[in-house]
Structures are given as C-alpha cells and as structure tokens.
Amino acid sequence: MSAGQLAVIRKDVRGITSNKQVLMVMLVVPLVLTIVVPSALVLTAVLAPETVSELQTLLDMLPAAGAASSQQAIFGLVLNNIMPAFFLLIPIMAGMGLNFGMTLGAMAGQIGLILVADWQIWGIPGLVLAAIISIPISILLGLMCGVLLNRAKGREMITSYIISFFVNGVYMLVVLYMMGPIIPIAHNTLKLPRGYGIRNTVSLLPMRQTIDNALAIYVGGVKIPVLTLIIIAVACLFIVWFRKTKLGQDMRAVGQDMEVARDAGINVERTRIISMVISTVFAGFGMIIYLQNLGNFPTYSAHTNVGMFCIAALLVGGASVEKASIGNVFLGVLLFHTMFIVAPAAGTKITGDSMIGEYFRVFVSYAVITVALVMYEAKKRKENRTLGQQLAIEQKAEEEGRTA
C-alpha cells in the first residue's frame, strides 16, 4: 500500500472519529443488528404462546377499559392521550423546553369538570361549559408561570416542575377546603361526609365517552370515534397554521436565539409568556377530553402524572428538549401508552405478577425523561465550553494584535 493511500485512509478515519454522530451510527447500527434484534427474536420465540388457547388467554388478560376488545382499548387510550401531548410543542418551539407546567392546565380542566358535575350538565354542553370555565383559570396560571419562567431563563424545566407542585397545593386548598363553604356545591354525592371538600373520586358516567360516541362508526367490531379524530385533525392543522403566523415565527426565532430575536425587535418575554398561556389553556382542553373518556377521575391525583406521561411519550416518539414535531406526538403516544395495556399482561405472562409490568412502565417513563435531560445538559455544557474557548482565542488574538 502506497504512502498516498495510507494518507487518504488516515484522513478518512480522522474525519469519521471527529464527527461523533457518524461514529455513533457506525457503532450503534451494527450492535443493534447483530445483538439487539437477534436477542429480541430469541426472546419472542421463547415467550411466545405455543398454542392458540394460550394466545387467547394472553389477550383476555388485556384490560378492556369498557371497550369491546383489546384493540378498542388501545385505540381509545392512544387517541385520548394525544390531545394533552399536542400542545407541549408550542413551549418547545419558543425554546422553553419540556413544559412540566402543563399540569396547571390539567388542574383547571378538572375544576371545570367538578363544577359541571355539580350542576348536572352532561354531554357535549357539559364538556363545552367545562372548557369555558377552565379558560380563565388556565390563562391566569399560564401568565403566572410565564412570568416566573422569564426570571429563570435556562432553567425553565425544573422551574415549571416546582411551580406545578406549588399550584398543586393551591388546587388542594380550593378543592379540599373552599368547595362547599365558599364555592357552592349543591350535591352531597360530590362532597366529603364532613360537608365540605370534594370526594376522592368524581363520577362522570353520564358523559363517559360522549365525544367518542358522537358520530362513531364501527369497522370490524372496532368503534372509530369520528369526532375525536376530527378534533385531533383540527389540532394538527392549528399547529401547522400557527407555525406560519407571525407569532409562531417569533416563537421559533426566540427558541433559536433570544438575543438575536431581541435585536430583531421581538418582545422575547411577552412571546414566551404567550407560549405558556397557549400551552396551559390547551392542556386543560386535552385533560377534559381525556377524562370524559374514562368516566371518572381521582380528584387529588389525576393531574399529577399527566405532564410526566405526556413528556415521556413525546420523548419516546423521538422528540428532544429543543425540537419536536407532530409526528413525534403520534408515534410517542402510540408506543408509550400501548405499554399501559401490554406491560401488565406481559408481567403476568412472564413472572405471574402484573405489577412487574407496571413497574417497568413507570421505570421507562422516568428513564426517558432522565436520559433526555442529561443529554440536553451535556450538549448545553459542551456548547458553552466551546463558546468560551472561542472567546478566549479571540481575546488572545486581539491582545496580540494590540501588542504588535
């Protein structure tokens, strides 16, 4: 081999090793093809049911959640979890990261449903009224959250997470102590035996699956909730349209570089606050749609996991702290929330204990968020270190120019 060929090879090797993305692909892809995929196939072959009766037994383990089949359960679960996750895209677009504060909108939606349940207004009118009640509460909470996050630039995610804990305390105060003595609650079925405060579970059975049943059609025994699909399609069109508006362009500019956006005449703080308000309002709508599908909700805990699960689903779908798309929402919700159905059944089949699958699902939801945050922080530190090195080189060159 000639010296020229060796030089070319060395140059190619240096080029590959210097590009970490290419190097990771070259290392990970062969690893997946040679170890992970064969291992998954072997595991599937070992754990697969040997007879049709065993397969049917495994399918019978899947909770129907009021649906006619496991397919219907998965379909309904996925569709009704898409809406809360959709409007995480707007704060990401504005450079505010993963909005753990969407829990605030979920609380507003629950307050609307509690009042509607007390007033006995069911069906589509009840859902619309609950959404209307949630709007001013969501706007107020979104404004508060946006103002606080503007004072914590660069630490929005952990700040929004702590804000959600603070507002959860306020929510508990309102629902547990103020509903009854201050906020009139007429029906004793909603109140605690002591005469004030809301019971641990609020029943929404008269409006259960109201949206899912409206305009529903059946294909192969599976109910297709046409109105739910229409709402999701409208949400998709809204996101696509919003990105093309001036406000959407301003948010994208702020997300890319706040200082450049400020120099371009964009009110950065106002734009960030608006993104939080929009996200919080639509999170309330999404929570209402999600809870009407279930038919009841735990008053003091339904909102606590919605932000965590929506963020985990978004990350599973391939999104990152800085970039997310509509496709990430659909793929992530499909993959992540299918585990709600599959994990307990798999745990029962493998170990005889369905809780093993539940523990695995919870582990995955927290693990993907942890990995995403660690990767984001590592990337951020690397960029800051590179920027500092460049600044030091420029300052040194400037000093040498002065001395010369």
Side-chain angles (χ1 to χ4, degrees):
M1 187 177 295
S2 65
Q5 291 174 330
L6 287 173
V8 171
I9 292 173
R10 291 194 189 98
K11 182 179 179 181
D12 290 340
V13 171
R14 283 196 299 271
I16 292 172
T17 54
S18 63
N19 191 326
K20 290 187 178 181
Q21 292 182 345
V22 175
L23 184 61
M24 287 297 294
V25 170
M26 293 181 66
L27 292 175
V28 171
V29 172
L31 180 66
V32 171
L33 293 178
T34 58
I35 298 178
V36 177
V37 173
S39 300
L41 293 175
V42 171
L43 188 63
T44 302
V46 171
L47 299 176
E50 297 179 0
T51 64
V52 175
S53 60
E54 289 185 8
L55 178 60
Q56 186 59 46
T57 302
L58 180 61
L59 290 175
D60 291 340
M61 294 177 187
L62 299 176
S69 65
S70 58
Q71 293 91 338
Q72 180 67 59
I74 295 173
F75 190 66
L77 186 65
V78 168
L79 286 183
N80 286 278
N81 276 280
I82 284 176
M83 285 302 295
F86 248 123
F87 296 96
L88 287 170
L89 301 179
I90 293 177
I92 294 175
M93 188 193 313
M96 302 181 76
L98 303 168
N99 179 23
F100 289 92
M102 68 173 294
T103 307
L104 279 59
M107 295 180 207
Q110 288 176 199
I111 290 175
L113 286 174
I114 290 172
L115 295 177
V116 167
D118 181 52
W119 300 335
Q120 301 288 293
I121 303 174
W122 307 114
I124 297 294
L127 294 175
V128 173
L129 180 59
I132 292 173
I133 293 171
S134 74
I135 289 175
I137 303 173
S138 296
I139 291 175
L140 181 63
L141 295 175
L143 285 171
M144 180 200 71
C145 188
V147 170
L148 291 174
L149 293 184
N150 277 338
R151 296 177 177 271
K153 292 185 178 73
R155 301 181 298 277
E156 289 91 351
M157 287 180 287
I158 184 62
T159 305
S160 62
Y161 192 55
I162 299 303
I163 290 172
S164 68
F165 279 109
F166 165 71
V167 177
N168 183 51
V170 178
Y171 170 83
M172 296 285 186
L173 176 66
V174 171
V175 175
L176 196 56
Y177 293 100
M178 295 178 64
M179 285 193 169
I182 299 175
I183 302 173
I185 299 295
H187 291 82
N188 292 327
T189 55
L190 282 176
K191 291 188 288 189
L192 291 168
R194 67 188 182 187
Y196 61 92
I198 304 300
R199 292 180 181 270
N200 290 335
T201 302
V202 174
S203 175
L204 302 174
L205 284 178
M207 67 166 61
R208 184 171 185 265
Q209 297 185 358
T210 298
I211 295 178
D212 297 351
N213 293 330
L215 307 178
I217 60 175
Y218 289 84
V219 178
V222 177
K223 182 176 67 177
I224 307 298
V226 176
L227 183 57
T228 304
L229 293 173
I230 291 174
I231 293 173
I232 292 173
V234 170
C236 291
L237 293 174
F238 174 81
I239 294 292
V240 172
W241 168 80
F242 183 77
R243 285 177 172 170
K244 297 179 181 179
T245 62
K246 184 182 182 303
L247 180 57
Q249 295 292 338
D250 289 350
M251 287 184 183
R252 295 174 66 180
V254 170
Q256 291 173 1
D257 193 315
M258 283 190 287
E259 296 305 321
V260 173
R262 187 175 283 107
D263 292 340
I266 298 173
N267 190 330
V268 172
E269 283 70 24
R270 176 176 173 273
T271 303
R272 285 162 57 92
I273 290 174
I274 291 174
S275 73
M276 286 304 301
V277 170
I278 294 174
S279 179
T280 306
V281 169
F282 283 101
F285 294 167
M287 192 65 176
I288 291 171
I289 293 173
Y290 171 66
L291 293 178
Q292 64 83 34
N293 176 261
L294 298 179
N296 61 69
F297 67 93
T299 310
Y300 303 102
S301 61
H303 56 278
T304 55
N305 288 328
V306 63
M308 193 70 67
F309 288 158
C310 287
I311 289 169
L314 194 61
L315 294 173
V316 168
S320 66
V321 175
E322 299 173 319
K323 187 177 181 181
S325 66
I326 294 174
N328 298 140
V329 174
F330 280 99
L331 179 61
V333 170
L334 176 64
L335 294 176
F336 182 76
H337 287 286
T338 300
M339 286 197 298
F340 279 74
I341 304 295
V342 175
T348 303
K349 178 67 178 177
I350 297 171
T351 66
D353 186 0
S354 62
M355 288 306 297
I356 298 297
E358 179 69 12
Y359 297 149
F360 175 74
R361 178 183 64 79
V362 174
F363 167 76
V364 169
S365 65
Y366 284 97
V368 293
I369 295 175
T370 302
V371 170
L373 295 180
V374 169
M375 292 175 62
Y376 171 71
E377 186 63 25
K379 180 181 178 183
K380 190 175 175 182
R381 290 189 179 186
K382 181 181 177 182
E383 291 176 351
N384 291 338
R385 186 167 57 251
T386 303
L387 185 62
Q389 291 173 351
Q390 291 177 351
L391 183 60
I393 292 172
E394 291 174 1
Q395 290 176 344
K396 183 177 180 181
E398 185 177 351
E399 291 175 359
E400 290 177 351
R402 290 177 180 175
T403 55

